[in-house]
């Protein structure tokens, strides 16, 4: 920098990063000058300050080399100007360096996967008081109070960073409940739909679609009121039971079966309501629901028999509601007449043998125990649901409700509300403004009728009127294209300074009044060119324009510009997009890489949930992979595979859908801008999932394989990871595919749910392939989950020669009961690789073919 200048910007630091330095080459260097001991000592002292003070402290070097510690927020005008001039000497080069340094600093604060993990770890250490908490409160709003009345427009003014957005969020109930707004208790509302629409202000849009990212619908405020209306609606979950064998058919059996399913339905509804009330957030509730369902279903007695439950998980077996339902429905079926005959070489009835073989209770009274337990769980879950609603506040901090007396106290303070602009105040009480300027604004209550009703549901606002007088608004534009109704031109030409050319053109027309001094030219132009004015004067502005010299000059210019210059060629682009296919792919992949990296709610939660599920299943199925004394041991080990595939796979498919829906919306916009085509985006979206799914598979595979105790051979371990990886991959690609073929993620979720249930039924675990009717086996062969279970079971047990206590070998049981053969693994591997490839191809094809953007 030049020595004649008053200040020399030595360094300015935000957080712990040195952002700017005064060195003609190293203005943005990360290092200190080693010879500058004084500066180093000052920076070391700043480094020890609390975070809030450190980010606002910097060092300025004045003329003569004197170093001065300054508060960055309190730099004077001259200091700031000189500092910026020194930082950006050469606009192109220094500005780029500054942005790179700023980007580096922002990257350190963005919610990346690494930062998310570090923040969680620091929070954990803070809770244990191992690491001191360095967070300090930052005041945003201070002593803000007032009343905003309904059915009136309110103007909120303030300079940037004055807290306008925070105040609005506080009024909306999305900030701390310490920020209060007045509200009152209300009277009962009618349940008539039209009345609800009226009081919610939705009657004007009753027949309008809500809309989404693709379809323009109702406004944001109307969407919030629609959400409020939806709180009155509750949905029940239907539970369907499918029996493996032909059930008993009698009036008594049917009544008992109906009663059991009814109790099961009510229990499930109460459970889901409780989880929703405890979660208080869609992401948290979905995660809690997944873990709760995993524990309840696995401990229900079907996937893992009672005899195989470890002693540390017996409590989970006895508290699982599904265990009671499973035992109750099994007893009601297998103790019926169809199962009473005694097989050869046995002393017990067939139904009792079936119940004992699956670890179920064979006593008839277990039906009523199950019904009673389900009724008890129904009352318990709904009672806890009520307590959660009463005592748990939402994460978004609900709007506080104060008493009617407090509201009267607020009203008694007076209704005067003042607006200030540049230090000049305007009062609603006085008729004259204290400002010497004519334009003014005023807020007042209409007719003084602002008293709250004695009863009724009243929003926490009071009506105020807002008026503006003599407000002027003008835009200076160099050119004007003026048309009248019917699409006819009446003026095309320059405006001139203060619209002098426009005014001169129209004032020369006979019958047009002169513009008044100080009158807005735009308003004057629209008034004199209206259709009514044409009839009064008896002229046609279109004819006048087409007979004017201005029109002839425009036509001559158009003709001149329409003729290409000699030797010139037509503008032509070889491709629609500026970059080749490979560059488009790399750009899309780079964008998605940072999008995923900075999305911890998707990536980090995915890994955390995988780890939790792996530990949960590992402890439940502990060391069952090595037990081979009876057939149930193999069924228990396969139950671990089935549970992992179903829950991890569904979680992948469900969680990826909203992510792809957002990315697709961004793709539509960037495609129109010519950044890249559909195939590079689809290729990048598919490719970015590969490493994340691989890490997920390794986390789950290593933990579960070791804890369950499968055979430790290289080939078996490889096959286990191989099938788990491609299974999670095709579930993820299936979720992406359903989003690509539907308008939004909600439709995709509905379609996906139907196929999830079909895949579950034909997976080969609930009903083995050898027991599926011949006319339905074709669906078994096209079900992706059946190929996964085939590969996992055949690779682990298809070649095992060990014999059960009955003398049957494991290999023979797996082949006879499930139809699995180890020599078929090659075909299974090819199919399991082909399934995600097929889903990825359909995803890419749908992205290229379908466009659901309506606006």
């Amino acid at each position: 920098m030049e020595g004649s200048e008053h200040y020399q910007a030595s360094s300015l630091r935000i957080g712990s990063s040195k952002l700017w330095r005064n060195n003609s080459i190293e203005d943005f260097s990360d290092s200190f000058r080693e010879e500058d001991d004084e500066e180093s000592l000052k920076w070391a002292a700043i480094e020890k300050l609390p975070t809030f003070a450190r980010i606002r402290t910097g060092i300025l070097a004045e003329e003569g080399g004197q170093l001065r510690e300054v508060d960055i927020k309190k730099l004077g005008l001259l200091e700031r100007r000189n500092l910026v001039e020194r930082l950006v000497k050469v606009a192109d080069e220094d500005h780029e360096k500054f942005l790179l340094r700023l980007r580096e600093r922002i990257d350190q604060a963005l919610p990346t996967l690494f930062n998310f993990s570090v923040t969680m770890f620091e929070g954990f250490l803070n809770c244990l008081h191992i690491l001191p908490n360095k967070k300090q409160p930052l005041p945003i709003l201070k002593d803000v109070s007032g009343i905003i009345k309904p059915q009136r427009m309110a103007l909120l003014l303030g300079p940037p960073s004055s807290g306008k957005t925070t105040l609005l969020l506080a009024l909306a109930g999305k900030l701390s409940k310490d920020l209060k707004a007045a509200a009152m208790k209300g009277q009962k509302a009618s349940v008539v739909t039209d009345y609800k629409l009226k009081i919610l202000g939705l009657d004007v849009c009753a027949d309008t679609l809500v809309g989404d990212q693709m379809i323009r619908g109702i406004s944001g405020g109307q969407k919030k009121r629609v959400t409020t209306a939806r709180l009155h609606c509750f949905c029940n979950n239907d539970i369907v039971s499918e029996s493996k064998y032909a059930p008993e058919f009698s009036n008594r059996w049917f009544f008992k079966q109906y009663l059991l399913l009814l109790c099961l339905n009510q229990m499930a509804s109460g459970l889901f309501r409780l989880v929703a009330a405890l979660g208080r957030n869609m992401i948290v509730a979905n995660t809690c629901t997944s873990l709760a369902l995993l524990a309840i279903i696995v401990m229900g007695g079907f996937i893992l028999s009672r005899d195989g439950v470890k002693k540390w998980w017996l409590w989970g077996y006895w508290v699982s509601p599904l265990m009671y339902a499973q035992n109750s429905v099994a007893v009601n079926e297998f103790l019926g007449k169809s199962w009473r005959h005694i097989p050869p070489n046995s002393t017990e009835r067939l139904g009792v043998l079936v119940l004992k073989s699956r670890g179920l209770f064979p006593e008839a009274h277990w039906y009523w125990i199950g019904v009673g337990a389900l009724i008890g769980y129904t009352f318990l879950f709904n009672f806890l649901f009520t307590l959660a609603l009463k005592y748990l506040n939402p994460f978004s901090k609900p709007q506080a409700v104060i008493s009617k007396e407090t509201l009267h106290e607020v009203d008694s303070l007076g209704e005067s509300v003042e607006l200030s602009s540049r230090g000049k105040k305007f009062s609603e009480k006085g008729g004259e403004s204290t400002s010497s300027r004519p334009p003014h604004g005023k807020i007042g209550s209409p007719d003084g009728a602002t008293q709250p009703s004695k009863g009724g549901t009243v929003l926490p606002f009071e009506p105020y009127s807002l008026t503006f007088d003599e407000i002027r608004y003008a835009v200076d534009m160099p050119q004007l294209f003026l048309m009248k109704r019917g699409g006819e031109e009446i003026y095309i030409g320059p405006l001139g300074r203060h619209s002098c050319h426009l005014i001169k053109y129209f004032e020369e027309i006979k019958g047009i009044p002169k513009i008044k001094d100080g009158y807005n030219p735009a308003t004057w132009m629209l008034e004199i060119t209206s259709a009514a004015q044409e009839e009064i004067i008896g002229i046609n502005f279109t004819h006048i324009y087409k007979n004017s010299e201005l029109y002839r000059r425009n036509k001559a210019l158009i003709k001149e510009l329409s003729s290409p210059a000699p030797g010139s060629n037509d503008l032509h682009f070889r491709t629609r997009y500026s970059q080749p296919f490979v560059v488009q792919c790399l750009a899309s992949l780079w964008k998605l890489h940072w999008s995923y990296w900075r999305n911890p709610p998707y990536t980090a939660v995915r890994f955390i949930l995988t780890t939790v599920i792996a530990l949960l299943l590992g402890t439940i199925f502990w060391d069952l992979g090595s037990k081979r004394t009876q057939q149930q041991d193999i069924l228990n080990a396969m139950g671990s595979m089935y549970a992992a595939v179903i829950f991890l796979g569904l979680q992948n498919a469900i969680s990826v859908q909203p992510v792809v829906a957002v990315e697709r919306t961004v793709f539509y916009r960037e495609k129109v801008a010519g950044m890249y085509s559909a195939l590079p985006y689809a290729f990048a979206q598919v490719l970015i999932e590969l490493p994340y799914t691989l890490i997920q598979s390794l986390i789950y595979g290593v933990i579960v394989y070791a804890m369950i105790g499968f055979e430790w051979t290289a080939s078996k371990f490889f096959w286990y990871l191989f099938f788990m990886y491609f299974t999670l991959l095709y579930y993820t690609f299936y979720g992406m595919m359903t989003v690509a073929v539907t308008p939004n993620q909600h439709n995709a979720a509905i379609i996906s749910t139907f196929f999830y249930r079909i895949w579950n039924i034909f997976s080969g675990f609930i009903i083995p392939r050898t027991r599926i009717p011949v006319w339905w086996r074709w669906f078994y062969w096209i079900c992706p989950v059946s190929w996964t279970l085939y590969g996992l079971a055949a690779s682990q047990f298809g070649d095992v020669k060990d014999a059960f206590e009955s003398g049957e070998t494991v290999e023979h049981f797996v082949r006879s009961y499930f139809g699995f053969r180890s020599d078929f693994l090659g075909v299974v591997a090819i199919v399991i690789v082909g399934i995600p490839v097929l889903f990825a191809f359909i995803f890419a094809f749908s992205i290229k073919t379908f466009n659901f953007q309506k606006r």
Side-chain angles (χ1 to χ4, degrees):
M1 298 297 176
E2 299 294 334
S4 61
E5 298 182 35
H6 295 289
Y7 294 96
Q8 183 174 4
S10 176
S11 182
L12 180 63
R13 174 178 291 191
I14 297 180
S16 60
S17 299
K18 292 162 286 297
L19 188 58
W20 299 318
R21 288 191 55 81
N22 175 50
N23 192 308
S24 58
I25 298 178
E26 298 178 355
D27 283 334
F28 300 85
S29 174
D30 283 335
S31 61
F32 294 113
R33 288 174 294 180
E34 297 179 357
E35 68 275 14
D36 196 342
D37 297 334
E38 182 183 358
E39 181 182 5
S40 300
L41 291 175
K42 286 183 175 291
W43 278 121
I46 292 176
E47 187 71 24
K48 297 180 180 179
L49 293 175
T51 302
F52 183 75
R54 189 174 69 247
I55 63 177
R56 301 181 57 155
T57 306
I59 295 178
L60 278 179
E62 301 178 359
E63 186 177 4
Q66 297 295 325
L67 299 178
R68 184 163 61 92
E69 187 175 310
V70 296
D71 188 337
I72 299 171
K73 290 288 187 179
K74 296 181 180 179
L75 288 177
L77 177 62
L78 183 60
E79 293 173 325
R80 293 197 304 268
R81 182 180 302 170
N82 290 335
L83 179 60
V84 172
E85 290 178 356
R86 287 168 171 76
L87 289 175
V88 189
K89 295 177 297 184
V90 182
D92 293 339
E93 299 177 2
D94 292 347
H95 184 59
E96 180 181 4
K97 294 178 182 178
F98 170 72
L99 291 179
L100 290 175
R101 294 291 301 149
L102 182 60
R103 172 186 171 185
E104 179 182 349
R105 172 58 187 159
I106 292 176
D107 287 342
Q108 297 175 5
L110 283 175
T112 63
L113 185 60
F114 175 77
N115 293 341
F116 175 80
S117 304
V118 171
T119 302
M120 286 189 60
F121 183 68
E122 289 182 351
F124 177 72
L125 296 180
N126 291 336
C127 293
L128 298 178
H129 301 287
I130 298 176
L131 186 68
N133 193 342
K134 298 181 180 180
K135 295 181 179 179
Q136 294 188 5
L138 179 64
I140 300 177
L141 297 175
K142 183 177 181 180
D143 297 333
V144 178
S145 62
I147 300 178
I148 303 175
K149 299 190 176 182
Q151 300 178 358
R152 295 296 184 269
M153 179 183 293
L155 180 63
L156 178 61
L157 295 176
S161 302
S162 62
K164 299 187 295 298
T165 302
T166 305
L167 177 59
L168 292 176
L169 291 174
L171 295 177
K174 295 186 177 180
L175 288 181
S176 173
K177 55 187 178 183
D178 294 334
L179 302 174
K180 301 179 180 295
M184 293 175 55
K185 295 182 179 179
Q187 70 184 104
K188 295 181 180 179
S190 172
V191 296
V192 180
T193 303
D194 292 340
Y195 181 70
K196 286 185 178 180
L197 293 175
K198 186 67 176 178
I199 64 174
L200 290 173
L202 298 174
D203 54 323
V204 296
C205 60
D207 299 322
T208 306
L209 293 174
V210 175
D212 52 20
Q213 298 97 331
M214 305 297 178
I215 303 175
R216 186 182 299 275
I218 62 179
S219 67
Q222 291 169 341
K223 288 181 180 179
K224 294 178 181 178
R225 294 196 291 275
V226 169
T227 303
T228 302
R230 285 176 175 170
L231 293 178
H232 298 280
C233 302
F234 293 92
C235 297
N236 290 329
N237 298 295
D238 295 329
I239 299 180
V240 180
S241 173
E242 299 212 9
S243 181
K244 184 175 177 181
Y245 300 97
E248 293 289 318
F249 190 75
S250 64
N251 292 336
R252 180 173 177 272
W253 178 92
F254 181 82
F255 171 76
K256 293 176 67 176
Q257 195 80 350
Y258 172 77
L259 176 62
L260 177 63
L261 295 180
L262 178 64
C263 296
L264 181 61
N265 176 274
Q266 294 302 312
M267 182 277 298
S269 299
L271 173 63
F272 293 138
R273 281 195 289 266
L274 174 60
V275 173
L278 293 176
R280 294 167 287 168
N281 178 281
M282 184 63 71
I283 298 177
V284 176
N286 285 338
T287 304
C288 294
T289 301
S290 300
L291 295 177
L293 287 179
L294 175 63
I296 290 174
I297 293 177
V298 172
M299 303 305 298
F302 177 75
I303 295 179
L304 178 64
S305 67
R306 176 168 55 95
D307 300 332
V309 178
K310 299 298 180 182
K311 58 181 180 180
W312 55 82
W313 271 109
L314 280 175
W315 64 270
Y317 176 82
W318 288 106
V319 301
S320 173
L322 204 60
M323 182 276 288
Y324 296 97
Q326 170 75 15
N327 279 277
S328 184
V329 71
V331 165
N332 189 47
E333 171 61 31
F334 292 106
L335 294 185
K337 295 181 180 179
S338 301
W339 302 88
R340 289 183 178 177
H341 65 278
I342 300 177
N345 302 323
S346 177
T347 59
E348 294 181 311
R349 291 178 294 180
L350 177 61
V352 175
L353 293 176
V354 172
L355 292 173
K356 289 183 175 180
S357 66
R358 298 307 300 263
L360 300 173
F361 297 99
E363 293 83 8
H365 62 266
W366 263 96
Y367 170 82
W368 296 108
I369 293 177
V371 171
L374 291 177
I375 295 175
Y377 275 118
T378 301
F379 282 103
L380 175 63
F381 291 153
N382 283 282
F383 175 72
L384 295 177
F385 165 68
T386 305
L387 292 181
L389 289 181
K390 180 174 179 59
Y391 294 107
L392 293 182
N393 292 326
F395 295 134
S396 57
K397 302 297 182 184
Q399 177 176 299
V401 178
I402 63 176
S403 64
K404 189 182 301 184
E405 291 76 13
T406 306
L407 181 61
H408 285 305
E409 292 179 6
V410 175
D411 288 339
S412 65
L413 296 178
E415 296 183 352
S416 178
V417 179
E418 296 183 348
L419 295 178
S420 63
S421 176
R422 299 179 182 270
K424 300 176 178 59
K425 298 183 178 180
F426 312 96
S427 173
E428 68 160 84
K429 293 292 186 180
E432 298 294 334
S433 170
T434 58
S435 171
S436 60
R437 299 177 59 186
H440 66 276
K442 180 172 63 176
I443 294 182
S445 57
D447 302 329
T450 60
Q451 294 299 326
S453 58
K454 295 182 179 180
T457 302
V458 180
L459 291 176
F461 311 106
E462 293 294 331
Y464 274 93
S465 61
L466 179 63
T467 61
F468 296 94
D469 295 334
E470 301 183 31
I471 300 298
R472 298 183 180 182
Y473 177 77
V475 179
D476 189 13
M477 302 177 66
Q479 194 76 13
L480 177 64
F481 193 117
L482 182 60
M483 303 178 69
K484 71 175 184 179
R485 186 171 296 176
E488 296 180 298
E489 307 164 348
I490 59 177
Y491 181 83
I492 301 177
L495 285 174
R497 181 173 177 80
H498 301 303
S499 305
C500 60
H501 297 312
L502 172 70
I503 296 173
K504 179 181 178 183
Y505 173 82
F506 281 105
E507 286 184 342
E508 291 177 351
I509 300 176
K510 184 179 180 181
I512 299 298
K514 303 293 183 181
I515 187 172
K516 300 178 182 179
D517 292 338
Y519 203 71
N520 192 336
T523 305
W524 176 77
M525 171 194 66
L526 295 176
E527 290 175 351
I528 64 173
T529 59
S530 63
Q533 192 71 14
E534 278 189 324
E535 294 183 3
I536 294 173
I537 302 177
I539 60 176
N540 189 314
F541 286 106
T542 302
H543 294 166
I544 295 176
Y545 171 69
K546 289 188 176 180
N547 293 323
S548 66
E549 180 62 25
L550 177 62
Y551 176 79
R552 288 188 287 270
R553 290 202 307 267
N554 288 339
K555 283 296 182 181
L557 181 61
I558 293 173
K559 183 178 180 181
E560 178 183 353
L561 296 178
S562 300
S563 302
S568 62
N569 298 322
D570 292 339
L571 187 63
H572 173 71
F573 297 99
R574 292 180 299 173
T575 60
R576 179 181 176 184
Y577 303 96
S578 60
Q579 298 295 331
F581 180 82
V582 175
V583 178
Q584 295 179 42
C585 293
L586 293 177
S588 300
L589 186 61
W590 177 85
K591 181 184 76 69
L592 286 174
H593 160 66
W594 287 112
S595 177
Y596 272 52
W597 182 253
R598 293 167 179 170
N599 190 7
Y602 173 61
T603 54
V605 172
R606 179 177 173 180
F607 294 149
I608 294 174
L609 190 61
T610 300
T611 305
V612 172
I613 292 178
L615 294 174
L616 188 65
L617 292 179
T619 55
I620 292 175
F621 294 93
W622 179 270
D623 203 30
L624 290 181
S626 59
K627 293 183 63 175
R628 296 163 186 174
T629 58
Q630 54 184 351
Q631 296 177 355
Q632 188 61 43
D633 295 333
I634 304 300
L635 295 178
N636 290 340
M638 280 198 63
S640 69
M641 303 173 184
Y642 167 79
V645 169
I646 294 298
F647 284 96
L648 278 181
L650 288 182
Q651 188 65 28
N652 274 27
I654 293 172
S655 61
V656 79
Q657 287 177 339
V659 175
V660 175
V662 173
E663 293 295 341
R664 182 179 63 175
T665 304
V666 176
F667 157 71
Y668 284 152
R669 181 177 67 247
E670 295 179 343
K671 177 185 177 183
V672 174
M675 297 182 65
Y676 46 79
S677 60
L679 291 182
Y681 160 72
F683 172 78
Q685 186 69 68
V686 169
L687 196 61
I688 195 63
E689 286 289 346
L690 299 182
Y692 285 93
T693 307
L694 178 61
I695 296 174
Q696 182 186 16
S697 303
L698 291 174
I699 292 174
Y700 176 82
V702 173
I703 295 176
V704 169
Y705 200 91
M707 296 181 71
I708 295 182
F710 290 117
E711 187 176 347
W712 277 104
T713 64
S715 61
K716 290 183 181 293
F717 182 65
F718 166 78
W719 280 121
Y720 191 87
L721 294 180
F722 174 85
F723 286 116
M724 285 303 304
Y725 173 66
F726 283 99
T727 297
L728 297 179
L729 204 60
Y730 74 63
Y731 262 108
T732 304
F733 289 169
Y734 176 76
M736 295 164 47
M737 181 192 73
T738 54
V739 173
V741 299
T742 54
N744 52 61
Q745 68 189 75
H746 308 292
N747 292 345
I750 295 173
I751 294 176
S752 302
T753 302
F754 170 76
F755 284 97
Y756 297 153
R757 294 175 178 176
I758 299 296
W759 290 1
N760 187 28
I761 295 173
F762 289 93
S763 63
F765 180 76
I766 297 178
I767 309 176
R769 174 169 58 88
T770 55
R771 270 70 171 176
I772 297 177
V774 177
W775 53 87
W776 272 113
R777 289 187 184 177
W778 63 271
F779 202 96
Y780 170 87
W781 291 112
I782 66 172
C783 176
V785 182
S786 67
W787 290 97
T788 297
L789 292 182
Y790 196 126
L792 289 172
S795 62
Q796 295 297 322
F797 307 112
D799 58 349
V800 176
K801 307 297 183 181
D802 297 349
F804 300 131
E805 294 176 348
S806 61
E808 183 183 17
T809 63
V810 174
E811 180 183 17
H812 181 269
F813 170 72
V814 170
R815 177 172 298 190
S816 62
Y817 187 78
F818 292 104
F820 297 159
R821 301 195 322 238
S822 60
D823 56 0
F824 197 63
L825 270 180
V827 178
V828 177
I830 295 175
V831 174
I832 212 69
V833 172
I835 293 174
V837 173
L838 175 64
F839 289 163
F841 173 78
I842 298 176
F843 168 75
F845 176 80
S846 302
I847 288 293
K848 181 176 177 60
T849 306
F850 304 135
N851 188 346
F852 296 101
Q853 194 172 34
K854 302 297 182 182
R855 53 186 180 184

